[in-house]
Amino acid sequence: SQTIHQWPATLVQPVGSPLSLECTVEGTSNPNLYWYRQAAGRGLQLLFYSVGIGQISSEVPQNLSASRPQDRQFILSSKKLLLSDSGFYLCAWSGTGLSTDTQYFGPGTRLTVL
Amino acid sequence: GQQLNQSPQSMFIQEGEDVSMNCTSSSIFNTWLWYKQDPGEGPVLLIALYKAGELTSNGRLTAQFGITRKDSFLNISASIPSDVGIYFCAGNHFTNAGKSTFGDGTTLTVKP
């Protein structure tokens, strides 16, 4: 069966510090991968989308970046965090071809920037 | 881009009551999905709909793919405290394969 992991689960960082959040998927190959941000009590904002290694689509301009160094590894980074980067970050995967419709979400990372 | 209007934004109900929420769009979708997010966790798929007019049940949950392909609703019957959470609708169109459009969610509170 497929599983998706995210770490860390929670993170408190000062403004201006760097960020690295990691997401890994097990039990599937060549998944589509996604990073979302969710503000408190709000909807899901798609940040990045990847269909393969090294292939990243950015959905919104921001000071965040994403990388996919391996097929089932997706990393969200920032060189300098802003207060507005606080939120709940969710990684998700989906299949390819006819299986792209359903996304499977990880447990999330709660980021607080102080 | 495509947008979904999900309503209501929040609901406060008594245990045992039925719940209904819906999503509408100005454009058509090929797939409608409903997710539930428990507090502090990632969303989990509840029901997926693939055909216009399709009515699908999952336990106490029932969802329908609107005949116009521009809307969907989710009903929860006989609510229980563990139904608390945020419910998201999502739509997919084949021209945007792999990227779902999500509604802003309906926050459900169930009073025992």
Side-chain angles (χ1 to χ4, degrees):
Chain A
S1 64
Q2 301 89 3
T3 56
I4 179 169
H5 305 278
Q6 286 186 247
W7 64 89
T10 60
L11 191 60
V12 180
Q13 292 284 96
V15 169
S17 64
L19 173 74
S20 181
L21 302 182
E22 189 165 344
C23 170
T24 58
V25 181
E26 297 176 355
T28 187
S29 59
N30 195 32
N32 290 338
L33 295 172
Y34 311 82
W35 277 113
Y36 291 88
R37 177 169 58 205
Q38 185 179 29
R42 303 293 297 278
L44 304 173
Q45 180 186 32
L46 180 62
L47 301 176
F48 299 97
Y49 165 58
S50 172
V51 298
I53 295 174
Q55 301 179 62
I56 310 293
S57 296
S58 175
E59 296 298 308
V60 292
Q62 60 211 317
N63 71 319
L64 299 172
S65 62
S67 61
R68 185 171 177 174
Q70 300 180 43
D71 181 45
R72 290 168 290 176
Q73 184 184 30
F74 206 22
I75 296 173
L76 183 69
S77 304
S78 174
K79 293 181 179 179
K80 289 186 178 182
L81 284 169
L82 307 173
L83 286 174
S84 59
D85 291 324
S86 293
F88 191 48
Y89 287 82
L90 288 159
C91 180
W93 73 272
S94 72
T96 57
L98 296 178
S99 303
T100 59
D101 290 343
T102 301
Q103 294 184 24
Y104 301 91
F105 289 84
T109 295
R110 175 79 58 192
L111 173 66
T112 303
V113 182
L114 302 176
Chain B
Q2 297 169 318
Q3 289 188 330
L4 291 181
N5 296 311
Q6 185 171 352
S7 64
Q9 185 175 12
S10 60
M11 302 182 73
F12 296 84
I13 62 170
Q14 289 290 138
E15 182 177 359
E17 291 184 356
D18 296 342
V19 172
S20 184
M21 60 191 78
N22 69 84
C23 276
T24 59
S25 171
S26 58
S27 53
I28 64 173
F29 287 104
N30 300 111
T31 306
W32 283 94
L33 306 120
W34 285 92
Y35 294 85
K36 182 196 177 191
Q37 183 180 28
D38 288 331
E41 300 183 12
V44 174
L45 180 71
L46 297 173
I47 293 177
L49 303 159
Y50 299 101
K51 292 170 57 178
E54 179 181 356
L55 184 71
T56 298
S57 294
N58 178 6
R60 293 178 295 106
L61 278 61
T62 301
Q64 185 159 29
F65 192 141
I67 197 69
T68 65
R69 297 167 65 190
K70 293 183 178 180
D71 64 318
S72 178
F73 72 75
L74 175 70
N75 288 342
I76 305 173
S77 63
S79 59
I80 59 178
S82 61
D83 290 334
V84 164
I86 304 176
Y87 292 80
F88 291 101
C89 63
N92 288 12
H93 193 275
F94 71 88
T95 58
N96 210 18
K99 290 199 290 185
S100 298
T101 300
F102 282 86
D104 285 339
T106 294
T107 300
L108 179 64
T109 303
V110 180
K111 303 174 188 176

PDB file of all heavy atoms in Angstrom, chain B residues 34 45-48 55-63 74-77:
ATOM      1  N   TRP B  34     -14.922  14.696  -2.950  1.00  0.00           N
ATOM      2  CA  TRP B  34     -15.187  15.268  -1.634  1.00  0.00           C
ATOM      3  C   TRP B  34     -14.165  14.700  -0.648  1.00  0.00           C
ATOM      4  O   TRP B  34     -13.966  13.483  -0.582  1.00  0.00           O
ATOM      5  CB  TRP B  34     -16.603  14.946  -1.165  1.00  0.00           C
ATOM      6  CG  TRP B  34     -17.630  15.758  -1.877  1.00  0.00           C
ATOM      7  CD1 TRP B  34     -18.315  15.432  -3.015  1.00  0.00           C
ATOM      8  CD2 TRP B  34     -18.091  17.070  -1.504  1.00  0.00           C
ATOM      9  NE1 TRP B  34     -19.172  16.460  -3.376  1.00  0.00           N
ATOM     10  CE2 TRP B  34     -19.053  17.467  -2.462  1.00  0.00           C
ATOM     11  CE3 TRP B  34     -17.790  17.944  -0.453  1.00  0.00           C
ATOM     12  CZ2 TRP B  34     -19.704  18.701  -2.404  1.00  0.00           C
ATOM     13  CZ3 TRP B  34     -18.442  19.164  -0.389  1.00  0.00           C
ATOM     14  CH2 TRP B  34     -19.392  19.537  -1.359  1.00  0.00           C
ATOM     15  N   LEU B  45      -9.832  11.463   1.226  1.00  0.00           N
ATOM     16  CA  LEU B  45     -10.903  11.327   0.243  1.00  0.00           C
ATOM     17  C   LEU B  45     -12.092  10.578   0.840  1.00  0.00           C
ATOM     18  O   LEU B  45     -11.935   9.526   1.463  1.00  0.00           O
ATOM     19  CB  LEU B  45     -10.394  10.576  -0.991  1.00  0.00           C
ATOM     20  CG  LEU B  45     -11.439  10.380  -2.097  1.00  0.00           C
ATOM     21  CD1 LEU B  45     -11.730  11.717  -2.767  1.00  0.00           C
ATOM     22  CD2 LEU B  45     -10.955   9.356  -3.116  1.00  0.00           C
ATOM     23  N   LEU B  46     -13.287  11.156   0.633  1.00  0.00           N
ATOM     24  CA  LEU B  46     -14.517  10.507   1.063  1.00  0.00           C
ATOM     25  C   LEU B  46     -15.213   9.815  -0.102  1.00  0.00           C
ATOM     26  O   LEU B  46     -15.583   8.650  -0.027  1.00  0.00           O
ATOM     27  CB  LEU B  46     -15.474  11.547   1.661  1.00  0.00           C
ATOM     28  CG  LEU B  46     -15.021  12.270   2.923  1.00  0.00           C
ATOM     29  CD1 LEU B  46     -16.013  13.368   3.271  1.00  0.00           C
ATOM     30  CD2 LEU B  46     -14.862  11.309   4.082  1.00  0.00           C
ATOM     31  N   ILE B  47     -15.452  10.584  -1.149  1.00  0.00           N
ATOM     32  CA  ILE B  47     -16.219  10.084  -2.298  1.00  0.00           C
ATOM     33  C   ILE B  47     -15.661  10.711  -3.564  1.00  0.00           C
ATOM     34  O   ILE B  47     -15.345  11.906  -3.585  1.00  0.00           O
ATOM     35  CB  ILE B  47     -17.717  10.432  -2.158  1.00  0.00           C
ATOM     36  CG1 ILE B  47     -18.340   9.669  -0.985  1.00  0.00           C
ATOM     37  CG2 ILE B  47     -18.469  10.125  -3.446  1.00  0.00           C
ATOM     38  CD1 ILE B  47     -19.813  10.009  -0.743  1.00  0.00           C
ATOM     39  N   ALA B  48     -15.573   9.914  -4.618  1.00  0.00           N
ATOM     40  CA  ALA B  48     -15.182  10.396  -5.943  1.00  0.00           C
ATOM     41  C   ALA B  48     -16.324  10.122  -6.920  1.00  0.00           C
ATOM     42  O   ALA B  48     -16.931   9.049  -6.893  1.00  0.00           O
ATOM     43  CB  ALA B  48     -13.910   9.703  -6.410  1.00  0.00           C
ATOM     44  N   LEU B  55     -24.813   9.273  -8.412  1.00  0.00           N
ATOM     45  CA  LEU B  55     -25.117   9.396  -6.983  1.00  0.00           C
ATOM     46  C   LEU B  55     -24.392   8.258  -6.272  1.00  0.00           C
ATOM     47  O   LEU B  55     -24.612   7.095  -6.588  1.00  0.00           O
ATOM     48  CB  LEU B  55     -26.625   9.288  -6.751  1.00  0.00           C
ATOM     49  CG  LEU B  55     -27.125   9.485  -5.319  1.00  0.00           C
ATOM     50  CD1 LEU B  55     -26.982  10.944  -4.910  1.00  0.00           C
ATOM     51  CD2 LEU B  55     -28.590   9.058  -5.198  1.00  0.00           C
ATOM     52  N   THR B  56     -23.524   8.603  -5.348  1.00  0.00           N
ATOM     53  CA  THR B  56     -22.692   7.602  -4.691  1.00  0.00           C
ATOM     54  C   THR B  56     -22.781   7.752  -3.180  1.00  0.00           C
ATOM     55  O   THR B  56     -22.766   8.861  -2.670  1.00  0.00           O
ATOM     56  CB  THR B  56     -21.229   7.744  -5.137  1.00  0.00           C
ATOM     57  OG1 THR B  56     -21.142   7.507  -6.541  1.00  0.00           O
ATOM     58  CG2 THR B  56     -20.329   6.748  -4.417  1.00  0.00           C
ATOM     59  N   SER B  57     -22.846   6.625  -2.492  1.00  0.00           N
ATOM     60  CA  SER B  57     -22.903   6.636  -1.031  1.00  0.00           C
ATOM     61  C   SER B  57     -21.685   5.962  -0.439  1.00  0.00           C
ATOM     62  O   SER B  57     -21.106   5.053  -1.033  1.00  0.00           O
ATOM     63  CB  SER B  57     -24.165   5.926  -0.539  1.00  0.00           C
ATOM     64  OG  SER B  57     -25.318   6.646  -0.915  1.00  0.00           O
ATOM     65  N   ASN B  58     -21.313   6.441   0.753  1.00  0.00           N
ATOM     66  CA  ASN B  58     -20.230   5.854   1.527  1.00  0.00           C
ATOM     67  C   ASN B  58     -20.672   5.916   2.980  1.00  0.00           C
ATOM     68  O   ASN B  58     -20.472   6.899   3.665  1.00  0.00           O
ATOM     69  CB  ASN B  58     -18.935   6.643   1.309  1.00  0.00           C
ATOM     70  CG  ASN B  58     -17.784   6.099   2.129  1.00  0.00           C
ATOM     71  OD1 ASN B  58     -17.914   5.060   2.790  1.00  0.00           O
ATOM     72  ND2 ASN B  58     -16.667   6.793   2.109  1.00  0.00           N
ATOM     73  N   GLY B  59     -21.339   4.844   3.430  1.00  0.00           N
ATOM     74  CA  GLY B  59     -21.898   4.850   4.776  1.00  0.00           C
ATOM     75  C   GLY B  59     -23.009   5.877   4.896  1.00  0.00           C
ATOM     76  O   GLY B  59     -23.968   5.870   4.128  1.00  0.00           O
ATOM     77  N   ARG B  60     -22.839   6.817   5.846  1.00  0.00           N
ATOM     78  CA  ARG B  60     -23.860   7.848   6.049  1.00  0.00           C
ATOM     79  C   ARG B  60     -23.700   9.030   5.090  1.00  0.00           C
ATOM     80  O   ARG B  60     -24.460   9.983   5.145  1.00  0.00           O
ATOM     81  CB  ARG B  60     -23.781   8.350   7.482  1.00  0.00           C
ATOM     82  CG  ARG B  60     -24.182   7.301   8.537  1.00  0.00           C
ATOM     83  CD  ARG B  60     -24.046   7.846   9.955  1.00  0.00           C
ATOM     84  NE  ARG B  60     -22.649   8.148  10.275  1.00  0.00           N
ATOM     85  CZ  ARG B  60     -22.150   9.369  10.350  1.00  0.00           C
ATOM     86  NH1 ARG B  60     -22.924  10.436  10.138  1.00  0.00           N
ATOM     87  NH2 ARG B  60     -20.877   9.547  10.647  1.00  0.00           N
ATOM     88  N   LEU B  61     -22.708   8.958   4.223  1.00  0.00           N
ATOM     89  CA  LEU B  61     -22.438  10.039   3.290  1.00  0.00           C
ATOM     90  C   LEU B  61     -22.994   9.704   1.903  1.00  0.00           C
ATOM     91  O   LEU B  61     -22.883   8.573   1.441  1.00  0.00           O
ATOM     92  CB  LEU B  61     -20.934  10.271   3.162  1.00  0.00           C
ATOM     93  CG  LEU B  61     -20.241  11.113   4.220  1.00  0.00           C
ATOM     94  CD1 LEU B  61     -20.354  10.513   5.596  1.00  0.00           C
ATOM     95  CD2 LEU B  61     -18.777  11.309   3.878  1.00  0.00           C
ATOM     96  N   THR B  62     -23.584  10.714   1.280  1.00  0.00           N
ATOM     97  CA  THR B  62     -24.072  10.582  -0.088  1.00  0.00           C
ATOM     98  C   THR B  62     -23.650  11.812  -0.865  1.00  0.00           C
ATOM     99  O   THR B  62     -23.814  12.937  -0.380  1.00  0.00           O
ATOM    100  CB  THR B  62     -25.606  10.459  -0.128  1.00  0.00           C
ATOM    101  OG1 THR B  62     -26.012   9.328   0.633  1.00  0.00           O
ATOM    102  CG2 THR B  62     -26.091  10.288  -1.566  1.00  0.00           C
ATOM    103  N   ALA B  63     -23.125  11.611  -2.059  1.00  0.00           N
ATOM    104  CA  ALA B  63     -22.715  12.731  -2.894  1.00  0.00           C
ATOM    105  C   ALA B  63     -23.256  12.530  -4.300  1.00  0.00           C
ATOM    106  O   ALA B  63     -23.443  11.402  -4.756  1.00  0.00           O
ATOM    107  CB  ALA B  63     -21.191  12.860  -2.925  1.00  0.00           C
ATOM    108  N   LEU B  74     -22.915  17.175  -1.103  1.00  0.00           N
ATOM    109  CA  LEU B  74     -22.593  16.115  -0.158  1.00  0.00           C
ATOM    110  C   LEU B  74     -23.606  16.170   0.980  1.00  0.00           C
ATOM    111  O   LEU B  74     -23.820  17.232   1.564  1.00  0.00           O
ATOM    112  CB  LEU B  74     -21.175  16.284   0.409  1.00  0.00           C
ATOM    113  CG  LEU B  74     -20.773  15.302   1.508  1.00  0.00           C
ATOM    114  CD1 LEU B  74     -20.591  13.907   0.934  1.00  0.00           C
ATOM    115  CD2 LEU B  74     -19.485  15.762   2.201  1.00  0.00           C
ATOM    116  N   ASN B  75     -24.225  15.053   1.271  1.00  0.00           N
ATOM    117  CA  ASN B  75     -25.130  14.949   2.402  1.00  0.00           C
ATOM    118  C   ASN B  75     -24.559  13.994   3.438  1.00  0.00           C
ATOM    119  O   ASN B  75     -23.977  12.957   3.084  1.00  0.00           O
ATOM    120  CB  ASN B  75     -26.505  14.425   1.964  1.00  0.00           C
ATOM    121  CG  ASN B  75     -27.284  15.455   1.177  1.00  0.00           C
ATOM    122  OD1 ASN B  75     -26.983  16.647   1.209  1.00  0.00           O
ATOM    123  ND2 ASN B  75     -28.291  15.013   0.447  1.00  0.00           N
ATOM    124  N   ILE B  76     -24.721  14.349   4.703  1.00  0.00           N
ATOM    125  CA  ILE B  76     -24.356  13.476   5.812  1.00  0.00           C
ATOM    126  C   ILE B  76     -25.621  13.238   6.615  1.00  0.00           C
ATOM    127  O   ILE B  76     -26.276  14.190   7.048  1.00  0.00           O
ATOM    128  CB  ILE B  76     -23.284  14.104   6.720  1.00  0.00           C
ATOM    129  CG1 ILE B  76     -22.058  14.515   5.902  1.00  0.00           C
ATOM    130  CG2 ILE B  76     -22.885  13.128   7.827  1.00  0.00           C
ATOM    131  CD1 ILE B  76     -21.029  15.293   6.710  1.00  0.00           C
ATOM    132  N   SER B  77     -25.974  12.005   6.797  1.00  0.00           N
ATOM    133  CA  SER B  77     -27.184  11.705   7.558  1.00  0.00           C
ATOM    134  C   SER B  77     -26.825  11.332   8.998  1.00  0.00           C
ATOM    135  O   SER B  77     -25.760  10.765   9.259  1.00  0.00           O
ATOM    136  CB  SER B  77     -27.956  10.560   6.899  1.00  0.00           C
ATOM    137  OG  SER B  77     -27.190   9.379   6.901  1.00  0.00           O
TER     138      SER B  77
END
